[in-house]
Amino acid sequence: MAKWVVASAWPYVNNVPHLGNLIGSILSADVFARYLRLRGEDVVFVSGSDEHGTPIEIEAIKRGVHPKELTDQAHEYVSKLFQEYMISFDNYTRTESETHKRFVQGFFMRLYENGYIFDQYDTLPYCPRDKMFLPDRFVVGTCPYCGYPKAHGDQCDNCGRLLHPTELINPRCAICGGPVEFRKTRHWFFDLPKLQGRILEWLKNSSLPANVKNYSLNWVAEGLKPRSVTRDNKWGIPAPFPGAEGKTIYVWFEALLGYISATIEYFEKLGEPDRWKTYWFDQETKTVYFIGKDNIPFHAIIFPAMLMASGEPYTLPWYISATEYLMYEGEQFSKSRRHGIWIDEALELLPADYWRFALIKMRPETKDTNFTWEEFYRIVNSDMNDDIGNYVHRVLKFLYSRFNATVPEPGPATREDEEFMEYYTTAPDRVAKHLESFRLKQALEEVIELARRGNQYLNARAPWEKAKMAPAEAATIMYNAVNSVATLAVLLAPFVPAAADRLWRMLGLEGTVHRAGVWLEAKKPLLKPGHRISRPEPLFSKLPPDFAEKAEAMIAEARRRVMEKRPPLLRWQ
Ligand SMILES: [Zn+2]
Ligand SMILES: [Zn+2]
């Protein structure tokens, strides 16, 4: 049996993730990991809080506290939210974990010893008042390309150009606001050009999807450049290279290594400190990364290059599922404009299953998609309630009241009965095919389609008309109908884990639907004649007709409530 490592991009914890962040990496990864486990596959699902680096260090300096004080609380808050969204991480850790810090330092020393790290002097901004170099976002100035007055040392947020801090017009210190000096300082670089040939060869032969592969091949074709891996930040992992005292490892490089260190930490906690190697050092292990499209170069070029340079037998990325962007009512999510929905606010309105379901339906798989309240309303009321909830309730209520809550012995089957049985017993394979091609949206569409077909089957076969005159025929119909509902419970499990489990219990089944192998069992009718179901209850609730109009106001109210619960770093001024 193949092993899997499912990884989702590490959220930077100076913000609560918004709905676009959730579907872009974490929720998509969770659906996939849950599916694999239901098949009985061997999976480790990891992620963690990315907490080092400039934005949080600046916040801490401004507030006069140690950055870890801020990220301890932020990490706890965000971790709890992921639990509420039922994200089934095997390990959700953080970049301050001792295992991570130790691993990153050891890993970079290997790159150094293998000749992939060199040092060089660079001219960088320095603040004589704060007595420090000003990396990346520590320096603010006017963009030389578009004239935006608040461009940073690494990038202009207005035109998106990557910048070197010496290009900024009128550069100022982001801490004290004063003018900066430029001084020479030594930095350490990852020698990517040395790996150009190997990366190109690997990319060409890799199993990465076309969008990721083509983007990366273009990047490599332009020629790989050395990347600076050290920063003058204090808040980070100390760079281990001789002569690099006082420097830290650039956050991007260490966060990528978190996929490995989180696996190590997971097995350390289980008391098997070396078992991580049976995943990461096995070329048969399938590693799958769920990320936003802006992170492609780091995952498809820099990360595999680092793994190659280590000289250890790491398995390289097997698949990278890179989503496009989710927009909110036609525009990008923006904290500064307060435009969007953040995941703690969303839970004030509705339970997690509703958001999970709707976000998968809106997943930006091939192009940017738009979250609108109207579409959310339609998905909840039509897909979740009219199709799935209604079908489940019709079947269970009728079985409960007219068949003494008992699955009947099926009688003779008509062609329609046989076709429907064929349809629901093959549904697990159809949904699986989409999931394994990372088309999560179509996979969910296929699940909804099972409920639609079920409703059509009931309408066409009308068991309520046959119960008295043709009980054997009615028994066949209800045997099929209730078994298709059991299949539905299994197929819903990766998407709406709480509702799927509720349905499982309504069906009178033992334990939980979230059980290894159940996906394959659902390729045959799960319920035997004589099995008794429990009292049915509605699976989902409908939204009131004026929901879409009132949603903005409800979110504004929710925002006021969550702001009081958030720790200082995550609170908006
Ligand atoms: Zn600009
Ligand atoms: Zn300053």
Side-chain angles (χ1 to χ4, degrees):
M1 185 168 55
K3 296 189 185 77
W4 298 80
V5 175
V6 177
S8 70
W10 288 41
Y12 195 63
V13 291
N14 69 332
N15 279 313
V16 171
H18 54 61
L19 294 186
N21 302 138
L22 188 65
I23 185 58
S25 52
I26 298 146
L27 175 56
S28 297
D30 181 60
V31 169
F32 190 69
R34 282 179 176 279
Y35 159 72
L36 291 176
R37 292 191 198 107
L38 292 166
R39 278 195 84 96
E41 301 281 326
D42 183 350
V43 189
V44 180
F45 174 24
V46 290
S47 188
S49 297
D50 180 5
E51 55 190 316
H52 294 139
T54 314
I56 288 173
E57 192 173 349
I58 293 181
E59 273 307 307
I61 293 171
K62 284 183 178 166
R63 293 164 193 257
V65 295
H66 191 277
K68 188 157 187 294
E69 229 177 273
L70 298 177
T71 57
D72 280 349
Q73 297 166 337
H75 171 69
E76 197 193 321
Y77 187 78
V78 170
S79 306
K80 197 167 152 279
L81 283 172
F82 291 149
Q83 281 171 23
E84 288 174 30
Y85 277 90
M86 297 170 282
I87 307 299
S88 60
F89 293 122
D90 291 301
N91 190 19
Y92 183 81
T93 181
R94 55 190 294 190
T95 53
E96 268 292 291
S97 113
E98 290 306 320
T99 301
H100 176 72
K101 291 196 271 191
R102 197 175 57 236
F103 179 73
V104 168
Q105 291 193 321
F107 189 94
F108 271 98
M109 266 323 276
R110 282 192 73 94
L111 300 197
Y112 181 84
E113 284 157 7
N114 292 348
Y116 287 96
I117 302 285
F118 65 90
D119 66 286
Q120 197 173 287
Y121 280 88
D122 200 358
T123 304
L124 292 173
Y126 181 88
C127 176
R129 288 160 304 278
D130 293 310
K131 296 191 175 50
M132 61 186 281
F133 279 96
L134 302 171
D136 308 319
R137 304 185 80 80
F138 270 109
V139 61
V140 186
T142 301
C143 172
Y145 300 99
C146 72
Y148 180 64
K150 287 181 187 166
H152 290 108
D154 53 347
Q155 189 169 23
C156 169
D157 290 340
N158 186 51
C159 69
R161 293 287 288 258
L162 296 180
L163 303 173
H164 190 271
T166 49
E167 292 178 280
L168 288 173
I169 301 162
N170 187 24
R172 294 170 319 281
C173 169
I175 306 162
C176 68
V180 307
E181 294 170 7
F182 282 90
R183 293 192 185 180
K184 275 194 175 248
T185 176
R186 196 171 162 207
H187 275 291
W188 280 256
F189 292 76
F190 178 36
D191 200 348
L192 268 172
K194 256 191 183 171
L195 291 153
Q196 168 100 12
R198 277 178 74 187
I199 284 288
L200 189 63
E201 200 50 34
W202 170 72
L203 270 175
K204 279 187 191 156
N205 299 313
S206 73
S207 49
L208 299 179
N211 65 331
V212 172
K213 196 185 265 197
N214 296 337
Y215 182 94
S216 307
L217 284 171
N218 285 337
W219 227 69
V220 177
E222 286 177 19
L224 295 176
K225 295 179 190 69
R227 290 260 151 177
S228 134
V229 297
T230 50
R231 285 292 186 274
D232 288 303
N233 294 60
K234 289 190 184 65
W235 175 230
I237 299 178
F241 318 123
E245 294 74 23
K247 316 263 174 188
T248 51
I249 297 287
Y250 183 34
V251 280
W252 253 112
F253 287 93
E254 55 134 315
L256 289 168
L257 294 177
Y259 301 129
I260 305 166
S261 69
T263 314
I264 297 173
E265 193 186 62
Y266 172 65
F267 285 115
E268 276 174 358
K269 284 180 189 164
L270 292 179
E272 300 173 89
D274 281 327
R275 201 166 140 206
W276 67 276
K277 291 179 186 163
T278 68
Y279 290 77
W280 282 96
F281 287 172
D282 182 347
Q283 302 308 307
E284 299 300 308
T285 298
K286 291 175 174 172
T287 54
V288 184
Y289 303 82
F290 288 85
I291 62 168
K293 64 179 169 186
D294 49 336
N295 291 341
I296 292 175
F298 279 98
H299 287 81
I301 297 168
I302 294 174
F303 185 51
M306 288 163 73
L307 298 180
M308 287 172 185
S310 75
E312 291 189 287
Y314 284 103
T315 186
L316 301 177
W318 178 74
Y319 198 88
I320 297 174
S321 178
T323 47
E324 306 289 313
Y325 294 133
L326 183 73
M327 314 290 274
Y328 175 71
E329 295 283 354
E331 286 171 60
Q332 282 197 8
F333 283 72
S334 160
K335 183 175 117 179
S336 57
R337 288 184 291 112
R338 307 288 192 255
H339 186 77
I341 311 168
W342 279 261
I343 66 173
D344 49 355
E345 301 165 358
L347 287 181
E348 299 274 312
L349 263 64
L350 286 162
D353 271 345
Y354 291 82
W355 298 105
R356 291 179 60 111
F357 191 103
L359 286 171
I360 297 292
K361 278 283 308 211
M362 296 180 193
R363 186 170 187 256
E365 292 184 350
T366 53
K367 57 178 185 338
D368 293 350
T369 59
N370 194 15
F371 179 99
T372 65
W373 285 110
E374 220 149 299
E375 177 64 1
F376 182 78
Y377 174 84
R378 195 203 61 72
I379 290 170
V380 172
N381 279 16
S382 171
D383 297 337
M384 294 180 83
N385 279 284
D386 293 343
D387 292 329
I388 296 172
N390 181 39
Y391 179 56
V392 166
H393 205 62
R394 283 174 88 183
V395 172
L396 299 190
K397 226 177 113 195
F398 191 67
L399 194 80
Y400 192 81
S401 60
R402 303 290 293 277
F403 283 79
N404 191 27
T406 306
V407 177
E409 185 76 48
T414 65
R415 219 188 71 203
E416 259 176 310
D417 298 326
E418 277 166 6
E419 277 173 4
F420 185 61
M421 185 192 268
E422 166 76 13
Y423 187 82
Y424 71 79
T425 52
T426 51
D429 281 343
R430 280 193 303 278
V431 177
K433 202 169 155 232
H434 288 306
L435 285 171
E436 286 171 23
S437 309
F438 301 90
R439 295 188 299 260
L440 276 52
K441 193 175 172 164
Q442 275 118 305
L444 180 54
E445 194 54 53
E446 193 69 51
V447 179
I448 301 167
E449 187 59 25
L450 173 57
R452 288 191 191 126
R453 295 287 185 103
N455 272 320
Q456 287 164 12
Y457 174 69
L458 275 195
N459 293 347
R461 299 287 286 129
W464 45 89
E465 286 171 8
K466 299 183 174 73
K468 273 209 177 109
M469 303 302 289
E473 216 177 309
T476 305
I477 300 164
M478 290 315 293
Y479 173 83
N480 276 332
V482 74
N483 267 298
S484 74
V485 169
T487 303
L488 199 52
V490 173
L491 302 188
L492 282 170
F495 303 98
V496 281
D501 235 4
R502 270 204 316 280
L503 181 51
W504 193 251
R505 286 190 298 270
M506 274 191 251
L507 285 161
L509 289 160
E510 299 268 301
T512 169
V513 67
H514 303 286
R515 178 165 62 71
V518 73
W519 194 279
L520 304 173
E521 292 164 26
K523 290 159 74 165
K524 285 190 185 134
L526 285 162
L527 307 174
K528 304 273 172 288
H531 174 86
R532 287 182 62 85
I533 65 162
S534 308
R535 178 182 289 279
E537 281 157 29
L539 194 57
F540 302 115
S541 307
K542 278 202 172 191
L543 299 172
D546 58 352
F547 180 83
E549 293 149 45
K550 290 191 174 162
E552 285 288 351
M554 286 191 281
I555 281 291
E557 182 49 41
R559 186 162 297 162
R560 275 190 289 278
R561 287 198 299 272
V562 298
M563 237 21 101
E564 285 163 24
K565 298 183 201 166
R566 286 186 186 179
L569 181 64
L570 303 175
R571 219 171 278 158
W572 298 347
Q573 268 79 50

